[in-house]
Each structure stands twice: as C-alpha cells, then as structure tokens.
Amino acid sequence: MYDTSNPYKWKYYKTADYPYGQWTITDASLSPDNRFLAYSSIRSVVFLAPTDPTLSADPIALDFGYSGQGGRRRQFTGGYSHFGIWSIRFSGDGREVVAGTSDHSVYVYDIEAKQSILRIPGHSDDVNAVCFGDNTSPHILYSGSDDTLIKVWDRRSMGDSREAGVFMGHTEGLTYVDSKGDGRYVLSNGKDQTMKLWDLRKMMSTEKASNIDANRYTTGFDYRFMPYSEADYEPHPYDCSLVTFRGHRVLKTLIRCHFSPPGSTDSRYVYSGSEDGCIYIYNMDATLAGKIDVSRATHHSRPRDDSSMHPHPYYIRGSRSSEAWKTCVRDASWHPSAPVVAGKPSEK
C-alpha cells in the first residue's frame, strides 16, 4: 500500500498478504471509506486488510463459499463449492462485496453477517467482471462473462432467478465492467479488442436474449496466447451498445477500463490499459483523446535477476539473441483531482 496524498510522490507504507493464494492476486477493491482493502486470488476466500499503517493485525478471511448453513460451506450440485474469484467490488455503503467467479456465478457477501447471502449461477462460463450499478444502492448488479454477455441483475425482483436484462454486443469474452455509478451507464472491455458504452435503458430483454444463441457470433480464441486478427472481427448483429471504442489491445490478461473522474473531468472520457504497454484515452465519440506510453516511460526500470530461470519477464528474446523490452498495462487509475494517471504494468 502507498500513501498518495501527494500524487506526485508516493510513499510505500504497508504490505497485505494473501496467506494461501493461488498463482496471483486476481483483484483488489478499496472500501468507500478507505479503511479496508479487499483482495482475491483463485480461491473462494477474499481477504480484508485494514489500510491504517498503525494496524498490524492479520487480514480477515471472507469465505464466499460459506452461507451460514449449520456452520458448513454452501453445497451446490456436484458437491461443496470450490471456485476461484476473478473480480470483486465493494458496495457503495461498504457493507457488501460482490464477486465474479470461476463457477460461472455472481456472489454477494455480507461483511457484518460474515457469510455469503446470494449466489446467482447466471452465466455459462467464467464471470470475469462484476460491479454495483449505483453508488447509492446495492440493488443493481452487473456481471460480465466469457460467454460474451453482460447481465443486469435487480435484487429486488429475482423471484424467478432471472436477470433483469442483457447487454449483447461483444463477440468474445468480457474482461471488465465499470459502472459510472449513476445507475444508467456501463463500460466494458472485451477480448474482441473493443470497449463498449451501454445505457441501462437500452438493454435487451431477457426474453429476446434467450432466443439468441450467443455462441454463433464468437470464435472462442484464447486471448492469453493467440494473436487477434482484425480480419476475424465482425460486428455483432444484435449489438445494443451506444458506442464502440477500438484501438487498444485486450490480450494476455484481464485488461480493465474506466470512466474518467467525475470531479475533474465530468467523466467525459473513458480509458483502458492495453497489451502494447499504453493507456488509451477516448472521447465519448470513440475518437482517441490521448495515449500514454507506459512501456517507454518504464523502459529498463525493473531490476533483472540473472540467477533466475526467467531473469527478466519484461524482456522478450528475439532473433540473433537480441532482447526487446515488453510490458502490458493491465489496469490504470485516473487521480480524482490531479492531472495524474497511474498505470499498472505487468509482464507479457
């Protein structure tokens, strides 16, 4: 954790550990009051660590597989729940955490009750992205999945366990969804190399979506290892998005996108990380407003360990034993008031 009270001079002050994480930290979310950091791995447990530098207590484990039923983990078809978590977000009041998981579901965890209070098995593939739709209410949820669909859930009317509506338009899996926080606009990144803007008032009805086979419009390519050919891209015939943004590259990892801050920019831009090591900033008409070259700014900035089997993952060996610096921007964050954008490079 870093103290960013001076946005131009960050100060490291604390580390939060995931005691038995698997492979990586998949996501992290800061509570609305900035007191706690929630973070996940490819397990069903989210850890909650205090951000106060004077507190050194162990992080609190939030077991999303536990529903309070006789002190046992929740049991679903096929046995007890074992899943990984790809995405988490705090609710606007900080009382709940929503998660998207590898068992094709959306979970909501009540922090005070110390248990999972809702599971929505609403997708046919991994749920890579989730968020609350409104900063002032926990009722509306958005989920984005590798089944190429974004689904809208209204917790007030889920008697039939069906979604309130669907955003259809991506032709490959979703990597991220971000709500503007006004209960109306949603932003998404997809493995079809597009970012899309959606309006809740224009979502597709559940009945119409159920009659469309989304698998007909996807190639199902593996974005981790395969290049994406522009020749393979075809607009979705049932695309109900408002705007489509193209130019950045959504490859290798679950690359995130966001609205620019409401205070300093009136949220008039959207932006995304990219596999080519840049942050792309777009106007709302899909024209490019700017591009930040993180790869160039961080060139040769990470120390290499020649004793390691992989001495430097940011160098890619080319022909004639030459090495080229490579990095990928998985996420970016625009400061709420200062003209500063932070990029999170990761190895290719």
Side-chain angles (χ1 to χ4, degrees), residues 154-164:
D154 188 340
R155 295 165 63 183
R156 297 165 295 187
S157 56
M158 289 188 60
D160 57 1
S161 299
R162 295 206 303 170
E163 64 271 15

Side-chain angles (χ1 to χ4, degrees), residues 146-214:
D146 271 334
D147 63 14
T148 76
L149 302 177
I150 302 170
K151 293 191 175 183
V152 183
W153 309 93
D154 188 340
R155 295 165 63 183
R156 297 165 295 187
S157 56
M158 289 188 60
D160 57 1
S161 299
R162 295 206 303 170
E163 64 271 15
V166 177
F167 289 130
M168 188 177 293
H170 282 291
T171 56
E172 304 293 347
L174 276 292
T175 66
Y176 199 72
V177 290
D178 184 38
S179 171
K180 193 177 180 181
D182 58 359
R184 176 173 171 183
Y185 292 111
V186 188
L187 191 67
S188 64
N189 246 355
K191 299 173 186 178
D192 56 4
Q193 313 306 296
T194 69
M195 179 167 60
K196 288 180 177 290
L197 179 67
W198 313 83
D199 187 335
L200 191 63
R201 299 172 302 175
K202 297 182 179 297
M203 67 180 178
M204 185 180 293
S205 69
T206 301
E207 290 72 25
K208 181 177 180 179
S210 65
N211 291 318
I212 300 172
D213 181 8

